[in-house]
Structures are given as C-alpha cells and as structure tokens.
Amino acid sequence: MMNLLFDLRYYVLYPSFFNSVIYPGLIFTAILLLTTIWFERKAAARVQMRVGPYYASKRLGGFMQLIADAVKFVFSEVIIPEGVNPTLFALAPVLAVAMSFIPLSIIPVSVIPPSGSVFSIYFRDFYDPNIGMGVLTGLFVQYNMLLILAIESMYPVFVIFVAWVTNNRFAIVGAVRESYLSVSYDVLLIMATLSMSLEYHTLDLAKIAQSGIPGILANPVAAIVFFIAMLMGSARFPFEIAEAETELVLGAYTEYSGFLFVLTMAGSYVGNLVYALVFTDMFLWGWYPLSGFPGALLTGLKASIVVFFSVFLRAVYGRYRIDQALRGGWKYLLPLTFVSLFIGLVVGYIWIP
Amino acid sequence: MDSIKIKEYKKGDSSLNLVTGHLKAVGTGVKYFVKPQRITLKYPEESLSLPTGYRGMIRLYKDVCIGCTLCAMVCPADAMKMATDQGKKFPTINYGRCVFCGFCVDICPVDALKETGVHDAAFSSRRELFFSPDKFNQDFDQPPVELLVKKVKAVIDEEKGIKYVPDTD
Amino acid sequence: MTDQAEELMKSGGMEIDVIPVSGELNVGPQHPGSGHLRIYVRLNGDIIEEAQVEPGYVHRAVEKLGENRNYIHLIPLVERPAILDSIHMNLGYIMAVEKILGVDVPDRAQYLRSFAAEISRIASHLYGMGILAIFIGHSTGFMWGFGDREVWVQILEALTGARITNSYVIPGGVRRDLTPTIVEMTRKAVTYMRRKIKDWENIFLNNPNVKARLQDVGIMTREQAIEWGAVGPNLRGSGVYYDVRKVEPYAAYSRLDFEIPVYKEGDGYARTLVRFEEIQQSLNILEQIIRDIPEGQILSDRFFKQIPPTRLKKWWEGQRRVVMPGYYASFRPPKGEAVTRVEAGRGELLYYVVSDGSAKPYRLRMITPSYRSIYVMQNLLKGVRYADLVSIYGSLDYFPPEADR
Ligand code: SF4
Ligand code: SF4
C-alpha cells in the first residue's frame, strides 16, 4: 500500500507530468483562466462604475458566474455554418488551444535543490549544468528561451487557420490583421529575448532567473518592449486589433458559437499566461530566492499578477488601428530593441558574471 | 454676438507627453480600481423610491370622475378610452399603449386621475394590460417592502455622482 | 459533410479568396459597430473605396403620423426619434406650434426651457461620447458616459417626472417648476461633473490611444462642412462658428452668457473636443440659470387663466406644477405656418408646421441633425481605413432613429 502511494506520488510529481498537466499546465491554467476572466470583468467593472459578476455567488464576488457561463457555453448549440468543412471547423479551435498549451510544459517554473524538496528525487533527471541545480519543467532544454518563443509564434498560424476554415469576410480581415501583427510582435519578442540572452550569456531561462539579478533592473528597455509585445501577442487592449468587436465582430472567431467559441477565447488567455511566465522568469526574478514547490508558486503568483495587469488595461484603453500598431512596433519599438541589445551587451559585460 | 474664437488643439505629442499621457490614463484607471465609484442599484434587494411627481402608473377615482372624456381626448397613444359602466362614462386604460406622458392626469378637471409612482408592475398576458374602470379604480400592489426590499432613494453627490441612501419616509 | 463542403474539399477549398484584395462588407444592420444602420462598404485592402450609408431601419413615419394626430398628441411622438435628447425635440416642435398660436411664453418658463435643454444636451453629449468610446474599443468611456449621464437623467426625472420621455414643454410654457430640491441637485451635479471631467480628460481625451484613433481621422474642411450641410458640433469642429442659440436665440439664450467652442481641424478629435467643451459651457449655463431665474408663472396667462381655481390651488401652489386646461385636448390653431430651429444636442433641428385651421397639423416636417449627418458620413468614409469607419461614425455622433424619424 505504502509502495503504491509512493509510486503514485512519484509519477504525479514527475515534472514532465506535473508541469504539463497540473502546474502550470492544464489544471492550473484552467483555474487561472477562469480567475483571469473573472478579474478582468471585476476590475473593468470597478473602474466603470459597475459591480460586475455578483449574483452567481455573492460571497465569492461572483466567481461562480464564470463557471455558470462556461457550463452555459458548453451546452449551447454549436452552429456550423453552411459551406464550411465541419471537420476542420471543429478542429481548428481545438488545435489552436492545444498549440497554445504546449509551451507551458517547457517553461521552467522553479529549481530543484539536490535535497529537501518534494522534487529532489528528480534532481538528476532535470539537472541543469548552467546553474548546477535541477529545473522544474516538463522538458528541460538548454535553449528553452528560443524553443518557447518558436512554439508560441506558431499560434497565429492557427488563428489564421481558424479564420480560413470559417470562410467569413470579417474573419478573413481579422486573420489578415493577425498575420500583420504577429510578424511585428514576434520580432520584438525575439529581439527583447535576444538582448536578455546576450546580457546573461545564456539561452536558458532558468539561469537568468537563478542569477539573482532581476532583468527588469538590468535591462528595463527590454522589459518594456517585451511587455508591449506580449500585449500585442495575446490580443490584449490596446492591441485587441484582430478581434475588434465593433469593427470585425471578433475577427477570426466570428462564426464560432458554444463550446468552440470558448476554446477560441481561451487560446489568447493561455498565450498571455505563457508570455507572462516567460516575462516573470526573464525580468521578475522568477522563483528566486525560493526553490522547489514554493518557488514554483512564487513564479505562478508573479505571472498571475502580470496577466492580471495586462487584462486590467482593458479598462484604460481602446484599441489602436492596425497601421498604428504596426508603426509603433516597427518604427518606435524596434529601434528600442536595438537600444536594449546595446544595454544587454554593455551591462552583461560589466555586471553579470 | 460676442467675439468669435476658433481654437486649435496641439497636434503631435512629444514622446514625453506620450509617456505621461499613458501614465495618467493608467493612473486614473488604477485610481478608480482602488476606489471604485459605483452607481449600480442592486435592484431586487434595493428598490428605488421615485421622486414626488414621478409619472408612474395611473389610477382612477371612480367616484370623482364626471365622465367628461377629456382624458381620452388628450391621450396621445389612444391608451385611454371611454367605456360605459352602469350608464355612466368612465375611462379605461390599456397599459400596452400608455406612454406615461401624464397628460390625462394633468387635464382631468376634477383630479379623478392620479399618478401612483408605481412603475414596476408585471403582467402575465396582454389582456391583463387592459384596465376596466373597476380595476382602474384600485391601488397598485406595492412590492413587499419589509421583507427583502430595501427602499433607497437616489441623491446626487458631489463626489460619487449618485448615491443611494435608505429612504426613511 | 454538406454538399458544398464536399465541393470545396475536392478542389482543396482553394478557390476561396483568402485575402480580400477587394471585397464588400455589410456593416450592419446587425453588427456591433453599426447601430440601426447598414453601411455597405467596398474594401480595397484596408482602405474603404466606397461606403454607402443606408438608413431607414428604424423609420417610424413621424411626419406622416403627425398629420393624423392632434397637436398635443404629437408631443410624445416627436420626442421619440431622439429619445435621449427629448427636451430639444419637444421644444422645437412646441415653439413652432406657439408661433402659429401666437402665444407668449413667460420668462420663467423660458429659463426653465433652457435649463431642461442644457441638461438634455449634457446627457446627449455624454451618450454620444460613450458610443464613440465603445466604437473605438474604450469600454470605460462607454460606461462612464452612461453612468455620468445618469446624474443628469435623475435631475430630469425630478423636474419632469420621467427619465427620458419627458414631454416637459407644452404650448405656452412648461409643465413643472423648479423646486429647491432640484436646484440643490443641480448644484451638486455641476460640482460633480466638473470634478469628473478631469478624470475624463485623463482616461479618455488625453489618452494617447484615443488621440491616435481620432486625430487626423475623418477630416472635414470648413468648405466641405458647409457644402455637405454638417450641423452642430460636427460643423463647429470644422471651424464654422454657427450655433442656433447665438444666431437665432430662443428660450432664454439671449440673456445667458456662454461661449461656442469652435475648433479648426475638422477631424474626429476636434468634434469630440467641441462636444466636451459644450458640456462645460452647459454647466456654466446651468449655474447661471439657477442664479438668475426670474420669479413668475411658468405658463402663459392665456392658458393659465383657464385652469380651474381649485386645481390651481392644489397643483400650482401645492406642488409647483401647472395642469392643463381642457383647451389642450384638441385645440385648433389659426391657419398659418411656422418654421423653428433649435440647437439640439447633435445640431440644428428644424421644424416646419403647417396649420390649416383644424385640430391636426396639415404638415409636419422635421429635419433632424443626424439626418444631415448621413451625407457627411458617406463622404467622410471614402478613402479611409476600415478601422476608421467606427471612429468616424462615432465622432459624428450619428443616431440612427433620429435620422430615420
Ligand atoms: S399617461 Fe398619457 S398615454 Fe397614458 S393614458 Fe394618460 S394620456 Fe394616455
Ligand atoms: S378627465 Fe377626469 S373626469 Fe373626465 S373622464 Fe377622464 S377621469 Fe373622468
């Protein structure tokens, strides 16, 4: 019996499983997703002279409203428009969401000390030679910064796919906007990441976080650029351009209803979380100075705050026009990334071992 | 005519202005997030008592009415029509048509009509919207005030815009 | 799999034009950014080549109905097209009827008309700003517009007895008098609004995001504005000093001191600034009115004398409201015609009433400000980016029911 429990614990806590399914993977993300949407609605309501969700559970501040909405969406009819390929139509949002989840299992959320943590038994399997410690992540790759961004940059392709299968004019205009945007924010993300990797002499997120020097101090320019690119990349205000309710009727997702609609919405929130986790590791110290499970919680907490702040901006901004966003990206932020590269080189040389 | 001033606004913000503009906008958002100014009325629990003279639903005082038909004549929506009841003429009202302009109340020479201030009555069929003189002659049921509903009244506040204070009277 | 889908699949679905190099979009009548209006847009890439504005979805035949109803019956009807600016809609019509009847309106009633009209203007501008805000995605502006409007609606409710369907102005005067409570409410509301306007500036007007969406968008030069027949804030946003309140003062405006904000640029931001400053001017006007309002009757003597004395005692002395003498039920004005103009929230509103001596008008013509914006919008939409459609629409403060009547 004890053995069985131990085995179970061994497998449940095994980082490849734990990270991709429990934390920060599926389960945690699903909960955080609901919380984020709840927070978004509540925060916007507070700013906007309203109360927001309330009656579904007064004591929880209306949190249950999200569950109720989700249940309602699940049971509402999925309307498949005529003239589309039903298989692809149903598959597209599923693929998009699945895609957005993948990076979660590569992001390091904490380090594993050789002993003293529940994860210490996996120390050897997830050993990171750069920092001399284990890394709590689904799959440890030394070049995880690049891998995460590479996978995440696939997401817009799926948005375009979604728009293409729905064969709706508004959706296609939305997809065109998304494709323009994705090119510009991807460049910014990669440049900001690159300057950080130059600064910390590594492509390993774990090393940056574990170095004990918060990236936001070492390279604030990169942090700003990364944050703005994150807003663009996850369709947050003021860059909610590809969805644009009043212009494009939700862009690529126009034709979706019911459960499929929930999936399409979930994708951008998950994307936001991925970027926020990377942002936390890269600029906000990640789990440092904790380690093990508490460290992972700290990372999650910081990332949630980043996500919350980015959804809060809904209450402050409208949306830019696509050309303004592109101009901002290419004309103002791209030169800034060169500055951040330079800062990265200089500060990395002087300060960071 | 006074002097004509044609203004121009300053175009093209400097990047410093841009940054302060963004900061101010986010700052204002945060300010309201921390200290919200809510004006939502939690309706089923709080019910608004309306100012005196509110043009709500109308009731008839049958014993006062002299059957002069003025109210039916002035009614812009043809909601009020005359009906003969035991040889006397009385107005009837169809709330499906009434627009609550209050003209009928204002024109009645003997004040046989009254604005009740009830505005949230519910009906379950269209036929019920029609009030015969006898039905018209009754007060409306007020919602059960003591149990659930807290009567509040809206007052204008210099800081919060609208505030709801418990209505004591 | 449906037949069509199979057909698509055979060819790999490749004949769907992925990028609408040129294509049509039906914006409306069921579109979150259109209101009760259809805008048929021909796109070339992101640029609108041509936009056809097609109104008429909420046409209510107000003018035709007007020919079949007594004069008094039309009061609630003419309000309906622009329900959020109902005082102005009502006022213009009543002024035309009064001209035919030849009634003088007492001073106090004139001031009260201006009072109600300015509140209505503030409420209407806040509404317009809210719609503009949500069109460009700024949900806080939307909620604030509607939330702050509520303050003014409350005052109107206390004054007239209804939130928006006020039916407040009647031939010869107004129906209810100002009470000390309402004066107090207005004072507080003015203070509140002045304070809130600062936050409005921070989060909306000076927000770089909003500026970017409105500046240099939908530019209408002075000449174009005059040629296309723009009215109200849209005209004044293009540098034309024209306001009916100054040009042809009605109600108490000749005795009130206020400025007409005029901006030169003619773009969406200038129009928004004009609206915004008009709100501030209206606040000043309200303060002047509650300070200067003369004592006296609120209904012309001619009708006042017809009210039975017992009723006068009960209503006028008791509740400061006048009631209607039986005359109103179906009065017959002499033969004649009248044209009146008022500066409604969205601009000049014109009424033309012809009386043939019967109890019903022979003809009622109303030219609403939004009606005049249709052509303006159609012209402004040519050659702009698709995303600017909503910001031009919003900055013109076009209100479909008002245009359709
Ligand atoms: S309130 Fe107006 S619409 Fe209603 S019955 Fe009276 S006159 Fe007719
Ligand atoms: S106006 Fe008054 S008295 Fe005359 S019929 Fe109507 S309710 Fe009766």
Side-chain angles (χ1 to χ4, degrees):
Chain A
M1 193 61 205
M2 268 327 276
N3 255 346
L4 193 68
L5 263 184
F6 185 81
D7 281 356
L8 207 62
R9 206 186 81 161
Y10 180 83
Y11 288 118
V12 167
L13 287 183
Y14 191 75
S16 296
F17 177 82
F18 184 78
N19 274 49
S20 42
V21 176
I22 300 175
Y23 182 96
L26 276 175
I27 294 174
F28 172 75
T29 307
I31 295 170
L32 186 72
L33 206 77
L34 289 180
T35 319
T36 308
I37 299 175
W38 171 80
F39 177 83
E40 182 169 15
R41 290 173 64 175
K42 274 307 230 198
R46 277 177 89 91
V47 179
Q48 298 170 350
M49 307 162 88
R50 302 184 281 126
V51 177
Y54 174 62
Y55 280 102
S57 57
K58 285 187 194 170
R59 247 176 257 138
L60 295 175
F63 187 80
M64 287 298 156
Q65 182 69 48
L66 275 302
I67 314 277
D69 283 352
V71 170
K72 180 226 141 203
F73 270 122
V74 168
F75 286 104
S76 67
E77 186 190 357
V78 175
I79 299 165
I80 298 186
E82 269 192 27
V84 303
N85 180 338
T87 324
L88 289 184
F89 184 81
L91 199 62
V94 179
L95 285 180
V97 170
M99 196 65 212
S100 68
F101 267 102
I102 293 176
L104 283 174
S105 48
I106 313 170
I107 300 174
V109 287
S110 185
V111 281
I112 307 175
S115 65
S117 165
V118 279
F119 296 107
S120 292
I121 30 175
Y122 317 108
F123 177 77
R124 208 163 295 282
D125 300 343
F126 291 88
Y127 182 73
D128 180 357
N130 294 327
I131 52 174
M133 275 198 179
V135 175
L136 186 57
T137 172
L139 170 71
F140 177 69
V141 192
Q142 291 218 16
Y143 307 111
N144 49 26
M145 260 157 124
L146 282 188
L147 190 59
I148 294 162
L149 289 183
I151 296 176
E152 195 58 27
S153 69
M154 287 292 286
Y155 180 66
V157 177
F158 285 88
V159 175
I160 294 163
F161 180 52
V162 166
W164 180 70
V165 295
T166 61
N167 187 23
N168 174 305
R169 284 245 167 81
F170 288 111
I172 287 169
V173 175
V176 173
R177 288 186 178 187
E178 174 74 34
S179 59
Y180 277 122
L181 267 184
S182 68
V183 174
S184 72
Y185 71 72
D186 269 345
V187 170
L188 298 179
L189 285 174
I190 287 174
M191 292 292 281
T193 313
L194 207 59
S195 54
M196 292 310 282
S197 74
L198 284 177
E199 187 158 352
Y200 287 84
H201 323 295
T202 178
L203 275 169
D204 180 8
L205 272 179
K207 191 182 169 196
I208 295 185
Q210 193 61 23
S211 71
I213 302 168
I216 198 158
L217 294 184
N219 198 341
V221 180
I224 292 170
V225 172
F226 193 93
F227 185 76
I228 297 175
M230 170 180 109
L231 294 179
M232 279 194 196
S234 47
R236 293 279 91 88
F237 278 92
F239 301 103
E240 195 237 28
I241 296 166
E243 292 172 13
E245 169 89 29
T246 50
E247 294 156 24
L248 298 178
V249 211
L250 285 187
Y253 318 126
T254 304
E255 296 281 3
Y256 282 94
S257 51
F259 186 61
L260 292 178
F261 177 73
V262 177
L263 289 184
T264 59
M265 284 290 99
S268 71
Y269 284 96
V270 179
N272 200 344
L273 176 65
V274 169
Y275 289 131
L277 281 169
V278 176
F279 188 83
T280 310
D281 281 354
M282 214 144 78
F283 298 104
L284 297 180
W285 251 353
W287 51 87
Y288 193 82
L290 301 181
S291 64
F293 191 62
L297 284 185
L298 186 64
T299 315
L301 183 73
K302 285 178 187 169
S304 311
I305 292 172
V306 174
V307 173
F308 284 178
F309 182 70
S310 52
V311 296
F312 168 75
L313 291 179
R314 163 182 291 270
V316 179
Y317 289 113
R319 60 179 77 85
Y320 279 107
R321 225 162 49 199
I322 177 79
D323 59 314
Q324 288 163 346
L326 294 183
R327 192 180 328 127
W330 291 107
K331 198 170 155 190
Y332 301 112
L333 293 180
L334 191 64
L336 266 188
T337 58
F338 293 131
V339 175
S340 78
L341 267 184
F342 182 72
I343 295 176
L345 282 174
V346 174
V347 176
Y349 182 71
I350 301 171
W351 189 14
I352 291 155
Chain B
M1 215 196 246
D2 33 37
S3 63
I4 297 170
K5 248 193 296 172
I6 295 182
K7 286 179 253 188
E8 267 178 86
Y9 65 82
K10 225 175 106 243
K11 260 189 206 176
D13 281 330
S14 67
S15 41
L16 185 71
N17 276 348
L18 214 64
V19 174
T20 51
H22 280 294
L23 287 181
K24 269 187 181 166
V26 176
T28 313
V30 172
K31 180 177 133 196
Y32 277 83
F33 175 69
V34 175
K35 203 161 158 270
Q37 175 214 345
R38 289 174 167 145
I39 61 165
T40 308
L41 179 77
K42 301 204 170 90
Y43 173 59
E45 288 115 16
E46 296 175 346
S47 159
L48 208 57
S49 51
L50 299 158
T52 41
Y54 182 82
R55 304 201 308 250
M57 303 189 95
I58 296 155
R59 79 153 286 187
L60 168 75
Y61 292 91
K62 226 174 140 185
D63 42 339
V64 186
C65 175
I66 52 171
C68 68
T69 71
L70 272 178
C71 55
M73 265 165 80
V74 83
C75 178
D78 284 344
M80 206 164 267
K81 293 213 173 93
M82 300 308 286
T84 314
D85 186 33
Q86 292 155 356
K88 260 191 90 183
K89 272 176 148 186
F90 287 113
T92 61
I93 190 168
N94 180 353
Y95 280 117
R97 308 193 68 142
C98 177
V99 296
F100 303 102
C101 61
F103 285 171
C104 49
V105 178
D106 275 13
I107 209 160
C108 175
V110 290
D111 289 327
L113 295 169
K114 191 184 140 217
E115 287 148 350
T116 57
V118 174
H119 74 305
D120 44 3
F123 300 94
S124 52
S125 76
R126 288 177 87 162
R127 207 168 296 125
E128 278 177 33
L129 290 167
F130 180 80
F131 278 52
S132 65
D134 280 326
K135 196 171 162 200
F136 199 14
N137 197 17
Q138 287 156 18
D139 271 328
F140 285 91
D141 293 337
Q142 290 284 350
V145 177
E146 320 81 42
L147 292 174
L148 256 177
V149 180
K150 208 166 81 197
K151 274 276 177 197
V152 292
K153 80 179 168 227
V155 290
I156 295 193
D157 187 75
E158 281 143 332
E159 302 228 343
K160 307 210 83 176
I162 287 185
K163 228 170 42 180
Y164 300 104
V165 295
D167 194 7
T168 37
D169 35 75
Chain C
M1 225 190 258
T2 60
D3 288 353
Q4 269 164 308
E6 264 166 26
E7 257 170 51
L8 285 181
M9 285 311 288
K10 249 181 266 156
S11 58
M14 277 325 235
E15 69 266 287
I16 308 165
D17 49 342
V18 175
I19 298 166
V21 174
S22 64
E24 296 89 30
L25 278 182
N26 269 317
V27 181
Q30 298 205 352
H31 183 283
S34 78
H36 311 285
L37 177 73
R38 187 171 101 125
I39 308 176
Y40 179 80
V41 175
R42 232 165 20 135
L43 277 182
N44 183 356
D46 197 29
I47 307 291
I48 298 177
E49 274 192 338
E50 193 199 335
Q52 257 165 292
V53 180
E54 294 176 6
Y57 286 90
V58 275
H59 178 60
R60 287 179 249 202
V62 171
E63 290 183 2
K64 191 67 196 165
L65 280 172
E67 292 166 18
N68 295 301
R69 282 190 164 33
N70 287 358
Y71 283 94
I72 197 85
H73 294 168
L74 291 181
I75 293 177
L77 182 65
V78 295
E79 282 177 2
R80 288 319 190 258
I83 200 70
L84 45 105
D85 196 13
S86 67
I87 297 277
H88 280 116
M89 304 308 264
N90 184 349
L91 178 59
Y93 166 70
I94 292 298
M95 276 162 52
V97 175
E98 277 167 355
K99 257 193 197 169
I100 300 179
L101 280 171
V103 213
D104 287 329
V105 183
D107 261 3
R108 191 173 174 84
Q110 298 281 32
Y111 269 88
L112 281 174
R113 285 179 178 187
S114 285
F115 180 77
E118 289 310 315
I119 291 180
S120 188
R121 186 184 319 280
I122 297 175
S124 158
H125 280 347
L126 283 173
Y127 179 99
M129 226 145 7
I131 296 292
L132 167 66
I134 195 65
F135 272 0
I136 58 176
H138 196 289
S139 49
T140 299
F142 175 60
M143 291 293 170
W144 279 19
F146 280 72
D148 289 340
R149 182 171 175 270
E150 190 61 26
V151 175
W152 302 101
V153 169
Q154 287 289 340
I155 296 178
L156 277 184
E157 184 187 69
L159 178 68
T160 70
R163 285 166 53 84
I164 41 175
T165 52
N166 307 111
S167 305
Y168 178 59
V169 187
I170 52 171
V174 291
R175 287 169 76 184
R176 299 184 185 194
D177 199 0
L178 208 59
T179 59
T181 338
I182 297 169
V183 171
E184 193 49 42
M185 280 168 97
T186 315
R187 274 216 188 93
K188 283 191 175 156
V190 170
T191 324
Y192 164 71
M193 200 63 213
R194 292 226 169 98
R195 186 197 304 260
K196 187 71 181 260
I197 275 178
K198 300 222 172 65
D199 289 332
W200 266 96
E201 277 172 359
N202 281 340
I203 213 165
F204 190 70
L205 269 193
N206 292 340
N207 188 335
N209 171 243
V210 174
K211 277 188 177 173
R213 284 306 298 273
L214 292 176
Q215 288 184 356
D216 294 322
V217 168
I219 300 179
M220 174 163 64
T221 62
R222 191 189 148 89
E223 287 70 33
Q224 281 171 332
I226 294 170
E227 193 192 319
W228 297 342
V231 285
N234 302 340
L235 182 66
R236 295 192 282 275
S238 294
V240 183
Y241 184 92
Y242 192 89
D243 187 309
V244 184
R245 288 177 293 171
K246 287 282 186 201
V247 179
E248 209 179 274
Y250 55 95
Y253 288 116
S254 53
R255 279 159 285 175
L256 295 167
D257 174 36
F258 59 100
E259 277 170 31
I260 304 297
V262 181
Y263 274 89
K264 197 168 153 233
E265 285 82 358
D267 56 5
Y269 195 62
R271 294 192 275 273
T272 312
L273 280 178
V274 167
R275 289 213 172 77
F276 203 73
E277 285 181 21
E278 269 179 27
I279 293 181
Q280 286 162 319
Q281 289 300 327
S282 295
L283 294 178
N284 292 346
I285 296 179
L286 287 178
E287 275 187 337
Q288 283 175 43
I289 292 177
I290 51 182
R291 196 184 60 219
D292 297 344
I293 187 162
E295 288 302 318
Q297 279 177 15
I298 58 169
L299 190 65
S300 157
D301 242 1
R302 184 166 142 194
F303 305 126
F304 195 72
K305 274 193 288 216
Q306 295 178 23
I307 304 174
T310 43
R311 298 200 79 201
L312 261 189
K313 197 159 171 155
K314 177 175 172 196
W315 293 110
W316 174 238
E317 278 153 37
Q319 295 193 17
R320 306 301 291 173
R321 56 189 265 201
V322 291
V323 286
M324 296 178 173
Y327 171 82
Y328 279 129
S330 84
F331 59 88
R332 291 160 194 273
K335 272 203 173 99
E337 55 180 29
V339 180
T340 49
R341 299 190 292 166
V342 292
E343 183 72 27
R346 294 185 178 73
E348 180 192 86
L349 165 69
L350 183 136
Y351 277 100
Y352 173 52
V353 180
V354 184
S355 154
D356 58 355
S358 71
K360 295 166 182 160
Y362 176 73
R363 176 83 170 95
L364 167 79
R365 174 89 176 112
M366 73 195 281
I367 301 176
T368 48
S370 286
Y371 180 70
R372 313 263 299 256
S373 299
I374 296 174
Y375 187 60
V376 174
M377 177 158 32
Q378 187 148 325
N379 282 321
L380 284 184
L381 286 181
K382 247 176 231 148
V384 299
R385 287 181 177 278
Y386 177 63
D388 284 341
L389 181 138
V390 282
S391 65
I392 289 176
Y393 185 149
S395 73
L396 289 175
D397 198 3
Y398 177 82
F399 188 56
E402 191 186 81
D404 290 357
R405 289 156 296 156

